[in-house]
Amino acid sequence: MNGTTGTTFQRNVVVVGAGPTGLLLAGDLAAAGVPVTVVERRPQGISNLTRAFGVHARTLEQLDARGLADELVATGQIISRLRLFGSLSLDISDLPSRFPYLLVTPQFEVDKLLLRRAEKNGATFVYGAEVTGLTQDETGVTLDVRREDGTADALRAAYAVGADGVRSAVRKALRMPFPGHSVIKSIVLADVLLAEEPDRTAVINGMGTAFGFLIPFEDGYWRVGGWDRTRGAIPDTAPVELEELRAITRRAFGSDFGMHDARWMSRFHSDERQVPRYRVGRVLLAGDAAHTHSAAGGQGMNTGLQDAANLGWKLASVVNGQAPEALLDSYHDERHPVGKAVLRSSGALLRLAMAHTPLQRGLRALLTLAVGNVRPAARRAIGQITGIGYAYGAPRGAHPFTGKRVPDVELQEGRLYEQLRAGRFVLITPRGAEVDHDGRLTVAHWASDRRTTLLVRPDGYAAWASETAGSEPVTVSTAAGEMGISWKPATRGAIPRD
């Protein structure tokens, strides 16, 4: 059949792409008992050399909810202060999180942990296979897949997720537009040793015609990157010489810090793009397939991982018959605005670093002064960069805390994010509360005498809350419903904060 096997494999979900987003999603689906196949274009064991290097607080919280954060933290360098534009210093050491820092670690360390978890939970991997086409109908999705040896398969699934990066084959098969533009045509990156090390903080700076950044790794190497507007548009395929990066760094920082012994060098262009819809019928897009941002702030990989954390429990609930298919619309409704906000915040950082006219530099000085001296402005900036400041919209009439991130509160049974490791909703009740439920949630109790009842989604956001009047126990009934859980609320009340 001209190299075509004609074989159709029945799978509940096919995830295209074995980067961080696809691996986290596959692990979550497999852990929930959903048969999942991951299709990856690269051969097995081939490292994905990428630009990602930082894991922010909210992403570490999501990894903590899967029992992975502490192991990942041990692989990296902890950065508690971000230094921007020479004069602005953002202290993130007092974040209301168990992880009040930026973790600098190579992306392959993230991939390694997530791959191990996905395989342990039973996900199936097909390597060296490229998606060449896609069709869908009312009952499922068929993906045409061509393998390295020229044979072709048709993978049939109830749902498919494109997590296959900026050049997503799934997005192209959907004929989905990817509107946006290239911000910078040629950024040079390298991991180098420095003879004259600056303070071990994450630094972004811009001077004259150039901007650059310096990020320390745990093993003594530094991730150094930069761009010089006078060099024009250089193709991504053009060779990179260390002297080019030295020259850019001298212009951006006034010194090249004696960089030497590059172990990796690359050139890329920086785009800002986002698809209009994250869901098209039974196909969903996540990570760089749905949005791509400037490298400023290191938010790209983090945003993709948080896409996966939002989508995984919803898709599992639908596939397992515990929620209606309409629940999947909330994935777009919640994550598309976050992706748009990240585009804006990372783009603003990049443009401020690139400021070169007197007017632009004056504006940067004013914004730097405001963020550095006005606490609400600083909190907002830190919340956007670290991810803990984002919340999801709530239905009209819902409790004000609905959709907001729930901190890692202490419970009688341990930390909240330890309880979330079961992948279920967690209902936190006052001591002595009587709970009637169908077994699909975890019931826990406040370590203190709080009277609040709080329902936490599997991704660590508040689904519902109330406060019990007096000392009588509260009874909550649950059943299959719109969010996989429905409830009979008591009176609205205050929500405990950090």
Side-chain angles (χ1 to χ4, degrees):
M1 297 179 62
N2 298 321
T4 301
T5 66
T7 304
T8 298
F9 299 92
Q10 297 290 338
R11 298 288 180 179
N12 278 351
V13 176
V14 170
V15 175
V16 183
T21 301
L23 290 173
L24 180 64
L25 179 61
D28 283 0
L29 291 171
V34 175
V36 57
T37 295
V38 181
V39 177
E40 170 54 46
R41 179 176 53 83
R42 290 171 292 139
Q44 185 173 8
I46 299 299
S47 175
N48 185 19
L49 294 177
T50 69
R51 302 182 297 273
F53 57 82
V55 186
H56 284 296
R58 185 55 184 155
T59 304
L60 287 169
E61 290 177 344
Q62 295 290 2
L63 295 176
D64 190 24
R66 292 155 178 80
L68 301 174
D70 291 340
E71 186 174 351
L72 184 64
V73 169
T75 69
Q77 171 80 25
I78 289 175
I79 303 295
S80 60
R81 186 176 296 274
L82 308 178
R83 188 153 52 87
L84 311 176
F85 324 131
S87 59
L88 177 59
S89 181
L90 294 178
D91 184 0
I92 56 178
S93 63
D94 60 351
L95 274 177
S97 171
R98 185 168 176 251
F99 308 98
Y101 47 77
L102 167 68
L103 177 69
V104 178
T105 191
Q107 181 182 316
F108 67 77
E109 296 287 0
V110 179
D111 290 346
K112 182 170 63 176
L113 285 179
L114 294 177
L115 174 60
R116 186 186 68 197
R117 174 175 178 261
E119 290 178 334
K120 180 180 178 181
N121 288 335
T124 300
F125 286 80
V126 179
Y127 290 99
E130 183 176 3
V131 172
T132 59
L134 178 154
T135 58
Q136 59 176 314
D137 52 41
E138 294 182 355
T139 62
V141 183
T142 301
L143 297 102
D144 299 322
V145 177
R146 182 170 297 279
R147 300 173 185 263
E148 286 182 309
D149 61 6
T151 60
D153 295 324
L155 299 185
R156 180 72 176 175
Y159 295 91
V161 181
D164 49 342
V166 174
R167 298 177 179 84
S168 172
V170 173
R171 187 186 65 241
K172 293 175 182 176
L174 291 171
R175 298 183 179 179
M176 175 74 73
F178 202 28
H181 60 279
S182 294
V183 184
I184 298 179
K185 297 296 185 181
S186 180
I187 298 177
V188 179
L189 279 183
D191 289 353
V192 300
L193 295 174
L194 301 181
E196 305 168 6
E197 288 197 355
D199 293 338
R200 295 186 70 80
T201 58
V203 184
I204 299 176
N205 200 30
M207 291 173 57
T209 63
F211 90 92
F213 56 87
L214 301 166
I215 310 292
F217 284 111
E218 177 70 17
D219 61 1
Y221 274 82
W222 289 70
R223 171 66 54 84
V224 181
W227 171 78
D228 187 343
R229 71 176 66 251
T230 64
R231 296 184 62 83
I234 301 175
D236 292 352
T237 55
V240 182
E241 299 293 339
L242 188 57
E243 183 52 42
E244 179 183 358
L245 185 57
R246 287 193 184 106
I248 294 172
T249 307
R250 285 194 294 268
R251 292 189 183 98
F253 291 96
S255 171
D256 64 14
F257 306 99
M259 69 176 65
H260 61 96
D261 289 326
R263 64 180 176 186
W264 174 79
M265 291 191 294
S266 179
R267 188 191 305 276
F268 71 99
H269 64 278
S270 179
D271 283 1
E272 292 178 349
R273 301 181 185 277
Q274 185 181 30
V275 295
R277 295 290 305 175
Y278 283 14
R279 180 190 178 197
V280 180
R282 290 177 171 268
V283 183
L284 303 106
L285 297 172
D288 287 350
H291 47 75
T292 181
H293 322 97
S294 86
Q299 295 165 276
M301 178 180 69
N302 290 271
T303 306
L305 286 169
Q306 291 165 42
D307 288 346
N310 182 286
L311 177 58
W313 68 269
K314 296 175 180 178
L315 190 52
S317 296
V318 172
V319 171
N320 288 332
Q322 298 167 345
E325 189 176 1
L327 175 60
L328 297 178
D329 288 334
S330 70
Y331 166 64
H332 168 87
D333 295 341
E334 292 181 343
R335 292 305 301 173
H336 191 275
V338 173
K340 187 174 182 179
V342 172
L343 276 171
R344 290 174 175 171
S345 62
S346 61
L349 278 175
L350 183 63
R351 286 164 177 79
L352 289 172
M354 292 166 56
H356 66 286
T357 68
L359 179 60
Q360 291 170 341
R361 290 180 181 175
L363 177 60
R364 182 173 71 184
L366 288 175
L367 291 174
T368 297
L369 183 65
V371 173
N373 293 278
V374 181
R375 289 184 61 84
R379 284 197 299 268
R380 179 178 175 80
I382 292 171
Q384 289 180 335
I385 292 172
T386 63
I388 70 167
Y390 290 115
Y392 301 137
R396 180 176 298 179
H399 191 281
F401 198 63
T402 303
K404 291 184 171 61
R405 160 190 167 269
V406 181
D408 191 19
V409 293
E410 288 293 333
L411 308 171
Q412 287 185 349
E413 294 79 4
R415 297 187 294 110
L416 169 61
Y417 281 71
E418 291 174 331
Q419 300 303 306
L420 286 171
R421 292 174 185 175
R424 299 194 293 263
F425 280 75
V426 175
L427 182 68
I428 309 175
T429 70
R431 297 174 181 177
E434 300 174 3
V435 179
D436 174 23
H437 65 98
D438 61 4
R440 290 188 295 108
L441 57 74
T442 297
V443 177
H445 306 83
W446 297 110
S448 65
D449 292 328
R450 286 171 173 156
R451 300 302 303 165
T452 305
T453 299
L454 177 64
L455 184 64
V456 184
R457 300 176 357 173
D459 56 357
Y461 291 84
W464 168 84
S466 71
E467 188 170 332
T468 306
S471 58
E472 73 280 4
V474 62
T475 300
V476 179
S477 298
T478 69
E482 181 181 359
M483 299 296 288
I485 299 289
S486 63
W487 47 85
K488 296 179 180 179
T491 57
R492 288 168 50 177
I495 298 298
R497 297 182 183 272
D498 300 291

